Amino acid sequence: QVQLVESGGGLVQAGGSLRLSCAASGRTSSSYAMGWFRQAPGKEREFVASIGWSDYSTYVADSVKGRFTISRDNAKNMVYLQMNSLKPEDTAVYYCAVASSNTKAYDHWGQGTRVTVSS
């Protein structure tokens, strides 16, 4: 099992920045990738960014490309989401997730951290 705890959410004005952190513990060695997802009020959860566990390859959704950056610190078992030039439409609960090597599916999730961007 993998446990994930997100932090760093909050209220920020449009154009501002936040850095979300995700602390991973447990059987992280069997992970395939780590990702960030978000769910805005009344909308479905959507993919934001991911980073490969072994090759560090990154993917970022078009809606945040050029503004958000995902990174990892293996020594600390941490994943980060640097969010710049935030827009009101970025308001959502952001979730950290881990994809297992055997399923390649995101099957471990954190509890989420809320980001609110005011206009």
Side-chain angles (χ1 to χ4, degrees):
Q1 286 284 7
V2 177
Q3 293 78 42
L4 303 168
V5 179
E6 303 98 330
S7 60
L11 173 64
V12 63
Q13 288 189 332
S17 298
L18 281 175
R19 188 177 82 154
L20 304 183
S21 300
C22 175
S25 60
R27 299 185 62 181
T28 57
S29 59
S30 62
S31 302
Y32 173 71
M34 295 189 72
W36 286 97
F37 293 75
R38 67 185 182 185
Q39 187 167 18
K43 295 187 177 181
E44 293 188 353
R45 188 175 297 185
E46 64 174 358
F47 169 80
V48 176
S50 68
I51 185 165
W53 190 257
S54 58
D55 64 3
Y56 288 78
S57 58
T58 60
Y59 298 92
V60 181
D62 287 343
S63 59
V64 303
K65 195 166 292 183
R67 300 187 298 122
F68 290 13
T69 303
I70 187 170
S71 62
R72 280 177 52 201
D73 184 334
N74 266 6
K76 298 181 180 179
N77 260 358
M78 298 288 294
V79 177
Y80 305 100
L81 186 67
Q82 178 66 44
M83 306 186 296
N84 300 327
S85 302
L86 282 161
K87 305 175 181 180
E89 51 264 43
D90 294 318
T91 294
V93 177
Y94 284 72
Y95 298 90
C96 176
V98 166
S100 302
S101 296
N102 54 341
T103 65
K104 309 264 189 318
Y106 288 96
D107 45 15
H108 294 89
W109 295 82
Q111 82 290 348
T113 184
R114 185 175 300 277
V115 172
T116 303
V117 185
S118 63
S119 56

